[in-house]
Protein backbone atom coordinates (compact mmCIF):
# COMPACT_ATOMS: atom_id res chain seq x y z
CA UNK A 1 0.00 0.00 0.00
CA UNK A 2 1.36 3.38 -1.09
CA UNK A 3 0.27 6.98 -0.56
CA UNK A 4 -0.57 8.56 -3.94
CA UNK A 5 -0.29 12.35 -4.21
CA UNK A 6 -3.64 13.93 -5.02
CA UNK A 7 -3.68 16.71 -7.66
CA UNK A 8 -3.96 20.17 -6.11
CA UNK A 9 -6.07 21.83 -8.82
CA UNK A 10 -8.71 22.60 -9.70
CA UNK A 11 -10.32 23.05 -6.28
CA UNK A 12 -13.38 21.00 -5.36
CA UNK A 13 -16.71 22.68 -6.11
CA UNK A 14 -18.57 20.72 -3.42
CA UNK A 15 -17.47 18.55 -0.52
CA UNK A 16 -19.78 16.53 1.71
CA UNK A 17 -18.06 15.43 4.94
CA UNK A 18 -19.18 13.19 7.74
CA UNK A 19 -18.19 10.66 10.35
CA UNK A 20 -19.53 7.12 10.50
CA UNK A 21 -19.77 5.48 13.92
CA UNK A 22 -20.66 1.99 15.15
CA UNK A 23 -23.30 2.23 17.87
CA UNK A 24 -25.66 -0.67 18.50
CA UNK A 25 -29.10 0.00 20.00
CA UNK A 26 -31.39 -2.75 21.27
CA UNK A 27 -34.96 -1.77 22.18
CA UNK A 28 -37.40 -3.95 24.08
CA UNK A 29 -40.64 -4.32 22.10
CA UNK A 30 -42.51 -4.60 25.40
CA UNK A 31 -41.15 -1.76 27.55
CA UNK A 32 -39.41 0.47 25.03
CA UNK A 33 -36.29 0.48 27.20
CA UNK A 34 -33.05 0.57 25.26
CA UNK A 35 -29.55 -0.72 25.70
CA UNK A 36 -26.78 1.11 23.86
CA UNK A 37 -23.29 -0.18 23.06
CA UNK A 38 -20.68 2.13 21.54
CA UNK A 39 -17.89 0.48 19.56
CA UNK A 40 -14.51 1.88 18.55
CA UNK A 41 -15.33 2.56 14.90
CA UNK A 42 -15.40 6.29 14.08
CA UNK A 43 -14.53 6.80 10.42
CA UNK A 44 -14.41 10.01 8.40
CA UNK A 45 -15.97 9.91 4.93
CA UNK A 46 -16.40 12.40 2.09
CA UNK A 47 -17.98 12.86 -1.32
CA UNK A 48 -16.11 15.36 -3.49
CA UNK A 49 -16.94 16.98 -6.82
CA UNK A 50 -14.62 18.80 -9.19
CA UNK A 51 -15.64 21.59 -11.60
CA UNK A 52 -15.99 20.91 -15.34
CA UNK A 53 -12.48 20.77 -16.80
CA UNK A 54 -10.69 20.21 -20.06
CA UNK A 55 -8.76 17.04 -20.80
CA UNK A 56 -5.39 18.53 -19.80
CA UNK A 57 -6.64 19.03 -16.23
CA UNK A 58 -8.76 15.90 -16.17
CA UNK A 59 -5.73 13.80 -17.15
CA UNK A 60 -4.10 14.66 -13.80
CA UNK A 61 -7.11 13.25 -11.94
CA UNK A 62 -7.42 10.22 -14.24
CA UNK A 63 -3.77 9.42 -13.58
CA UNK A 64 -4.41 9.78 -9.83
CA UNK A 65 -7.30 7.31 -10.07
CA UNK A 66 -5.21 4.84 -12.08
CA UNK A 67 -2.38 4.95 -9.55
CA UNK A 68 -4.79 4.29 -6.68
CA UNK A 69 -5.51 0.87 -8.23
CA UNK A 70 -9.07 0.83 -6.96
CA UNK A 71 -9.15 0.67 -3.17
CA UNK A 72 -5.60 -0.67 -2.82
CA UNK A 73 -3.56 2.52 -2.42
CA UNK A 74 -4.34 5.53 -0.24
CA UNK A 75 -4.08 9.32 -0.26
CA UNK A 76 -4.03 12.19 2.22
CA UNK A 77 -7.14 14.36 2.42
CA UNK A 78 -8.48 17.11 4.63
CA UNK A 79 -11.64 19.18 4.68
CA UNK A 80 -11.01 21.60 1.78
CA UNK A 81 -13.04 24.34 3.47
CA UNK A 82 -11.27 24.10 6.84
CA UNK A 83 -7.56 24.52 6.14
CA UNK A 84 -6.98 26.85 9.10
CA UNK A 85 -7.92 26.72 12.79
CA UNK A 86 -11.04 28.57 13.93
CA UNK A 87 -10.97 31.66 16.11
CA UNK A 88 -8.46 34.50 16.28
CA UNK A 89 -4.93 34.51 17.70
CA UNK A 90 -4.12 31.07 16.29
CA UNK A 91 -1.03 29.18 17.44
CA UNK A 92 2.16 29.28 15.39
CA UNK A 93 3.15 25.78 16.50
CA UNK A 94 1.63 22.92 18.46
CA UNK A 95 3.39 20.14 20.35
CA UNK A 96 2.23 17.22 22.48
CA UNK A 97 2.90 17.84 26.19
CA UNK A 98 2.22 14.31 27.46
CA UNK A 99 1.48 11.03 25.73
CA UNK A 100 -2.10 9.94 24.97
CA UNK A 101 -3.43 6.42 24.45
CA UNK A 102 -5.72 4.79 21.91
CA UNK A 103 -9.32 5.71 22.74
CA UNK A 104 -8.48 8.99 24.48
CA UNK A 105 -10.68 12.00 23.64
CA UNK A 106 -8.41 14.55 25.31
CA UNK A 107 -4.76 15.32 24.67
CA UNK A 108 -2.39 17.74 26.43
CA UNK A 109 -0.97 20.22 23.93
CA UNK A 110 1.35 23.20 24.08
CA UNK A 111 -0.16 25.87 21.82
CA UNK A 112 1.33 28.99 23.39
CA UNK A 113 0.20 31.38 26.10
CA UNK A 114 -2.97 33.22 25.05
CA UNK A 115 -3.18 31.36 21.74
CA UNK A 116 -6.56 29.96 20.71
CA UNK A 117 -7.54 26.58 19.32
CA UNK A 118 -11.30 26.65 18.97
CA UNK A 119 -13.90 23.99 18.30
CA UNK A 120 -14.23 23.03 14.66
CA UNK A 121 -10.47 23.20 14.12
CA UNK A 122 -8.84 20.11 12.63
CA UNK A 123 -5.64 18.53 13.95
CA UNK A 124 -3.49 15.92 12.24
CA UNK A 125 -1.43 13.63 14.44
CA UNK A 126 1.53 11.81 12.88
CA UNK A 127 2.46 11.72 9.19
CA UNK A 128 2.37 9.48 6.12
CA UNK A 129 0.60 6.14 6.49
CA UNK A 130 0.03 6.94 10.19
CA UNK A 131 -1.75 10.28 9.59
CA UNK A 132 -4.90 10.63 11.70
CA UNK A 133 -7.43 13.46 11.45
CA UNK A 134 -9.28 14.79 14.51
CA UNK A 135 -11.55 17.74 15.26
CA UNK A 136 -11.28 20.00 18.30
CA UNK A 137 -14.69 19.95 20.04
CA UNK A 138 -14.24 22.59 22.77
CA UNK A 139 -12.73 26.08 22.70
CA UNK A 140 -9.21 26.28 24.17
CA UNK A 141 -6.95 29.16 25.17
CA UNK A 142 -3.35 28.53 26.12
CA UNK A 143 -1.66 25.25 27.00
CA UNK A 144 -3.42 22.24 28.46
CA UNK A 145 -5.97 19.52 27.70
CA UNK A 146 -7.69 19.75 24.32
CA UNK A 147 -10.91 17.77 23.73
CA UNK A 148 -10.98 15.99 20.36
CA UNK A 149 -13.14 13.62 18.34
CA UNK A 150 -13.04 10.96 17.11
CA UNK A 151 -11.14 9.13 19.87
CA UNK A 152 -7.46 8.51 19.14
CA UNK A 153 -6.91 5.50 16.90
CA UNK A 154 -3.16 5.40 17.64
CA UNK A 155 -1.16 6.36 20.67
CA UNK A 156 0.40 9.81 20.42
CA UNK A 157 3.76 10.46 22.08
CA UNK A 158 5.50 13.72 22.89
CA UNK A 159 7.58 13.44 19.70
CA UNK A 160 4.50 13.10 17.46
CA UNK A 161 4.07 15.64 14.68
CA UNK A 162 0.96 17.84 15.09
CA UNK A 163 -0.29 19.62 11.97
CA UNK A 164 -2.99 22.28 12.30
CA UNK A 165 -2.76 24.08 8.93
CA UNK A 166 -4.27 21.94 6.15
CA UNK A 167 -4.61 18.96 8.50
CA UNK A 168 -5.20 15.69 6.66
CA UNK A 169 -5.93 12.05 7.32
CA UNK A 170 -5.31 8.86 5.36
CA UNK A 171 -8.16 7.94 2.99
CA UNK A 172 -9.02 5.33 0.37
CA UNK A 173 -11.73 5.17 -2.26
CA UNK A 174 -15.11 3.63 -1.39
CA UNK A 175 -15.22 1.50 -4.53
CA UNK A 176 -12.88 -0.18 -6.99
CA UNK A 177 -14.79 1.39 -9.90
CA UNK A 178 -13.49 4.93 -10.50
CA UNK A 179 -15.28 6.80 -13.29
CA UNK A 180 -15.50 10.18 -15.03
CA UNK A 181 -17.74 11.66 -17.71
CA UNK A 182 -17.25 14.03 -20.64
CA UNK A 183 -19.62 15.99 -22.90
CA UNK A 184 -19.52 17.12 -26.53
CA UNK A 185 -17.33 20.11 -25.56
CA UNK A 186 -14.75 17.80 -23.99
CA UNK A 187 -15.59 19.11 -20.52
CA UNK A 188 -14.89 16.39 -18.00
CA UNK A 189 -16.86 15.86 -14.80
CA UNK A 190 -15.49 13.96 -11.80
CA UNK A 191 -17.15 13.07 -8.49
CA UNK A 192 -15.85 10.45 -6.06
CA UNK A 193 -16.42 9.21 -2.54
CA UNK A 194 -13.84 7.99 -0.05
CA UNK A 195 -13.46 6.94 3.58
CA UNK A 196 -10.75 7.11 6.17
CA UNK A 197 -8.28 4.22 6.02
CA UNK A 198 -8.19 2.92 9.58
Amino acid sequence: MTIIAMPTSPAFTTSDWGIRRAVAVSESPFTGQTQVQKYAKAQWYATLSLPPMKRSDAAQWQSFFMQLEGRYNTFLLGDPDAKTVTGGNAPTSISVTSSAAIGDTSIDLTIGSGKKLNKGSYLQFRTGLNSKLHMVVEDNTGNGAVAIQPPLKMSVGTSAVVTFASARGLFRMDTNELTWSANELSNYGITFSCSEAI
Side-chain angles (χ1 to χ4, degrees):
M1 180 174 65
T2 303
I3 295 177
I4 306 300
M6 178 184 284
T8 56
S9 66
F12 297 113
T13 53
T14 61
S15 63
D16 297 320
W17 276 79
I19 192 161
R20 187 180 298 118
R21 296 183 186 264
V23 178
V25 179
S26 175
E27 180 179 314
S28 167
F30 306 106
T31 65
Q33 291 181 318
T34 57
Q35 292 181 330
V36 180
Q37 175 65 48
K38 180 177 70 172
Y39 295 94
K41 179 181 179 181
Q43 182 181 38
W44 293 107
Y45 65 92
T47 300
L48 304 151
S49 296
L50 291 157
M53 65 187 97
K54 293 298 184 182
R55 185 179 180 193
S56 59
D57 290 326
Q60 304 300 316
W61 287 92
Q62 291 169 323
S63 174
F64 169 67
F65 289 154
M66 293 298 103
Q67 291 177 74
L68 286 174
E69 299 183 63
R71 301 187 71 213
Y72 181 70
N73 289 315
T74 56
F75 53 96
L76 294 173
L77 178 69
D79 186 337
D81 296 309
K83 294 183 177 181
T84 59
V85 297
T86 60
N89 201 19
T92 55
S93 68
I94 297 177
S95 61
V96 179
T97 308
S98 59
S99 299
I102 293 172
D104 284 355
T105 56
S106 178
I107 185 165
D108 288 330
L109 299 176
T110 299
I111 64 174
S113 178
K115 298 294 184 180
K116 295 184 181 294
L117 189 60
N118 291 344
K119 56 184 142 190
S121 300
Y122 286 98
L123 297 175
Q124 173 187 336
F125 295 108
R126 300 185 173 217
T127 59
L129 290 170
N130 294 317
S131 299
K132 297 299 176 193
L133 186 66
H134 298 271
M135 181 182 280
V136 176
V137 294
E138 293 178 6
D139 291 340
N140 299 274
T141 301
N143 306 323
V146 174
I148 58 168
Q149 283 289 338
L152 289 174
K153 298 176 177 82
M154 287 184 154
S155 60
V156 176
T158 55
S159 63
V161 174
V162 183
T163 303
F164 59 94
S166 298
R168 302 180 296 172
L170 190 69
F171 282 74
R172 68 167 25 101
M173 292 297 187
D174 283 343
T175 178
N176 287 314
E177 293 78 37
L178 303 174
T179 62
W180 52 86
S181 60
N183 64 16
E184 70 279 5
L185 300 175
S186 293
N187 283 325
Y188 284 72
I190 297 174
T191 297
F192 62 93
S193 61
C194 54
S195 297
E196 182 183 10
I198 298 177

